[in-house]
């Protein structure tokens, strides 16, 4: 079985050779992902719930469009930040699979993928149960991202 840390070590060594300051190696990933989670995540969650709960059709439509526009970008940035987080662990010589932060980050991406599939299927023809599942799963993912952030900071 291949050791992921060993496989990534040549790339980590190359990045270390660039003389990147330790605070950037240690805090670059948390700061950038924190921005994505706090700014984009809260907005995606807020617009999703505003879409579901708004009584005014125009307001509901506006929130739906904003949610549909930004949610894929949030997923993209989180998925793009994932390898940076893993590489940061290797650069700092931390064991990847012993990190609860790694596991919660992996779970977040898997759940986001599931939630995306639910949405991209059109909620299987607009089934209310799938819309409700999507909403609560999305909210749960945002809660998991808070746990993920805490685990990354300790």
């Amino acid at each position: 079985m291949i050791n992921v840390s060993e496989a990534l070590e040549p790339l980590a060594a190359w990045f270390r050779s660039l003389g990147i300051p330790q605070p950037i190696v240690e805090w670059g990933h948390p700061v950038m992902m924190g921005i994505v989670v706090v700014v984009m995540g809260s907005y995606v969650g807020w617009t999703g719930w505003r879409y579901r709960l708004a009584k005014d059709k125009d307001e509901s439509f506006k929130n739906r469009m904003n949610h549909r526009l930004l949610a894929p970008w949030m997923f993209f940035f989180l998925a793009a930040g994932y390898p940076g987080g893993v590489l940061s662990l290797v650069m700092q010589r931390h064991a990847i699979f012993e990190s609860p932060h790694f596991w919660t980050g992996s779970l977040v991406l898997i759940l986001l993928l599931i939630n995306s599939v639910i949405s991209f299927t059109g909620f299987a023809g607009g089934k209310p149960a799938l819309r409700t599942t999507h909403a609560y799963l999305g909210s749960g993912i945002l809660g998991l991202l808070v746990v993920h952030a805490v685990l990354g900071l300790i």
Side-chain angles (χ1 to χ4, degrees):
M1 182 168 160
I2 189 166
N3 182 319
V4 177
S5 293
E6 286 178 17
L8 293 174
E9 181 53 38
L11 183 59
W14 181 77
F15 275 106
R16 276 190 223 101
S17 75
L18 298 176
I20 299 170
Q22 183 60 25
I24 292 176
V25 172
E26 189 172 340
W27 293 103
H29 173 78
V31 168
M32 299 309 286
M33 293 297 96
I35 292 168
V36 171
V37 170
V38 171
V39 175
M40 294 180 93
S42 61
Y43 188 74
V44 166
W46 183 73
T47 56
W49 280 102
R50 295 282 298 172
Y51 158 60
R52 284 182 61 86
L53 301 175
K55 303 289 186 216
D56 180 67
K57 282 187 176 189
D58 290 335
E59 181 183 348
S60 179
F61 179 78
K62 177 183 152 202
N63 282 297
R64 178 182 182 200
M65 291 299 106
N66 287 335
H67 181 78
R68 291 179 75 181
L69 175 69
L70 200 56
W73 284 107
M74 183 188 90
F75 179 78
F76 170 78
F77 285 122
L78 289 175
Y82 182 89
V86 171
L87 187 58
S88 176
L89 284 173
V90 176
M91 288 177 71
Q92 297 174 71
R93 293 181 168 74
H94 294 299
I96 296 171
F97 297 122
E98 292 177 18
S99 167
H101 186 71
F102 167 81
W103 292 110
T104 56
S106 299
L107 182 58
V108 161
L109 287 180
I110 291 166
L111 293 174
L112 280 172
L113 183 60
I114 291 168
N115 221 21
S116 299
V117 169
I118 290 170
S119 175
F120 286 138
T121 64
F123 305 99
K127 292 184 179 171
L130 282 178
R131 288 188 179 277
T132 299
T133 299
H134 176 80
Y136 284 100
L137 181 57
S139 295
I141 293 166
L142 290 175
L144 180 58
L145 279 165
V146 171
V147 172
H148 175 68
V150 170
L151 291 173
L153 295 174
I154 59 172

